[in-house]
Amino acid sequence: MNETDPSSASDTPGDAIEHLEQQLSMLWRRSRSISHRVARDVHPDMEPAAYGLLVILQNEGAMRLTELASNIGVGKPSVSRQVTLLERLGLVRKQADPFDGRAQTLTLTEKGSLQLARTQLARKQAFRNRLADWSGGDIETLATLLSRLNEEYTKDK
């Protein structure tokens, strides 16, 4: 069976699941490799996990460390270590929470926003280059199916 040709997959659900698992595993391996490169594009000393934190802060705005940890489903100590690195690199800053002076919120610095936007622009261009021969319909179908799969992971099973 050709691993990249969907028409070569068997009609049985078990074979289709096997084919999907192989393709997702390959995609995740490539994604980890790309994540390392993307993080290094933001800052040479940044770890891949920290990139996701920057994106959350970009999308959600200021938030407490506990909210950030909850958002990605990991413990506060793991996020705290990444935030300390991001702070040291000048990409995020802590400030007093306007609703609770005892707490702090995290926000992107101007440098963090600019570096992140520059890297995201390069990533989007890389996607455009990779998918240049795909039709808009195929790209939309892939996005729709991936969205559906991601939604399944949010359901209690």
Side-chain angles (χ1 to χ4, degrees):
M1 172 181 359
N2 180 340
E3 287 188 13
T4 59
D5 179 8
S7 66
S8 68
S10 172
D11 287 333
T12 66
D15 289 343
I17 293 292
E18 178 73 22
H19 186 238
L20 174 64
E21 192 278 330
Q22 289 171 353
Q23 294 306 309
L24 286 175
S25 292
M26 186 182 314
L27 181 63
W28 287 325
R29 283 191 305 272
R30 287 182 176 144
S31 177
R32 279 192 299 273
S33 175
I34 290 167
S35 291
H36 280 84
R37 271 197 320 263
V38 167
R40 300 294 190 261
D41 285 346
V42 173
H43 192 283
D45 296 330
M46 196 169 91
E47 297 177 21
Y51 177 81
L53 300 179
L54 292 178
V55 172
I56 291 169
L57 290 173
Q58 178 189 49
N59 293 335
E60 304 292 328
M63 64 175 46
R64 293 180 182 184
L65 183 68
T66 52
E67 293 170 315
L68 188 56
S70 174
N71 196 299
I72 60 171
V74 300
K76 187 177 170 183
S78 297
V79 173
S80 182
R81 186 177 62 80
Q82 293 296 328
V83 167
T84 298
L85 170 69
L86 292 171
E87 233 184 332
R88 195 175 74 241
L89 298 175
L91 303 173
V92 300
R93 72 172 160 269
K94 292 179 183 171
Q95 56 195 28
D97 185 328
F99 303 107
D100 181 355
R102 300 168 297 168
Q104 294 182 317
T105 58
L106 303 165
T107 58
L108 291 177
T109 62
E110 185 176 343
K111 175 184 176 182
S113 292
L114 291 172
Q115 289 291 93
L116 186 57
R118 181 184 57 80
T119 300
Q120 288 171 327
L121 187 61
R123 267 183 88 180
K124 286 177 186 175
Q125 188 56 50
F127 270 124
R128 284 184 187 97
N129 293 343
R130 290 238 190 294
L131 301 174
D133 294 335
W134 288 42
S135 72
D138 283 350
I139 295 169
E140 188 57 42
T141 297
L142 176 61
T144 299
L145 292 172
L146 288 173
S147 177
R148 185 174 163 196
L149 178 61
N150 282 323
E151 185 64 30
E152 287 297 322
Y153 279 95
T154 65
K155 296 177 182 177
D156 292 331
K157 298 254 176 175

